[in-house]
Amino acid sequence: MSAPSLAGYIVKRPWLKRWMMPLANWYADAAGYRKLGLRADDLIPEESDTVLLALKRLPPKEAYDRVFRLRRAFQCSLAHQLLPKDQQTKPEEDYAYLSPVIKEIEAESRERDDLEAMVVSKRKK
């Protein structure tokens, strides 16, 4: 799931963040998922076990809203139409709701792997 990212590097440097934000906003708008009422985390593929587990951990309301957004976007796609402006996702509504859960599960998995690889030996007296 995790891919190399320059986001941490850019966020740590305010001048670079100021320079990149208009480009990032343009790219998010050009991607078109907001015009279908989706959020960025709705685009994460459900193929890995980590993402499936994260979806199970979502609160019921958030899971229902996600399914609603996906079905509405699918219907718009089939009809070759975009949502009206008032129903499109606004930039302030496009927050990460699934990515933090995925990161938490990946951290738990790394910790579990570390604990399973640990060798315990008896102390010699």
Side-chain angles (χ1 to χ4, degrees):
M1 168 56 207
S2 296
S5 174
L6 293 174
Y9 179 81
I10 292 171
V11 170
K12 289 179 185 174
R13 289 154 182 83
W15 63 273
L16 189 55
K17 183 178 177 184
R18 273 194 313 273
W19 188 73
M20 292 298 285
M21 282 309 290
L23 182 63
N25 290 333
W26 171 83
Y27 181 79
D29 190 47
Y33 64 89
R34 289 180 181 165
K35 294 176 183 174
L36 294 173
L38 295 173
R39 294 183 186 165
D41 279 0
D42 293 336
L43 304 176
I44 297 174
E46 301 176 10
E47 297 169 352
S48 72
D49 293 334
T50 305
V51 176
L52 290 174
L53 183 58
L55 289 171
K56 289 178 185 175
R57 288 189 185 181
L58 282 178
K61 171 104 171 80
E62 193 68 54
Y64 176 82
D65 290 346
R66 180 178 191 276
V67 171
F68 176 79
R69 287 191 302 271
L70 290 171
R71 287 185 180 178
R72 182 175 58 178
F74 185 69
Q75 288 294 326
C76 288
S77 179
L78 286 176
H80 297 284
Q81 295 178 345
L82 297 177
L83 288 174
K85 283 277 190 193
D86 62 328
Q87 293 180 7
Q88 293 179 4
T89 303
K90 294 158 190 59
E92 59 271 4
E93 295 172 350
D94 189 9
Y95 59 89
Y97 68 93
L98 189 60
S99 298
V101 180
I102 292 172
K103 288 178 185 173
E104 180 183 313
I105 292 171
E106 288 175 344
E108 289 172 5
S109 176
R110 282 192 302 273
E111 183 180 3
R112 187 179 307 109
D113 292 343
D114 290 344
L115 286 173
E116 288 175 357
M118 187 183 324
V119 176
V120 180
S121 59
K122 221 175 184 183
R123 219 189 299 176
K124 295 180 181 178
K125 291 186 180 184

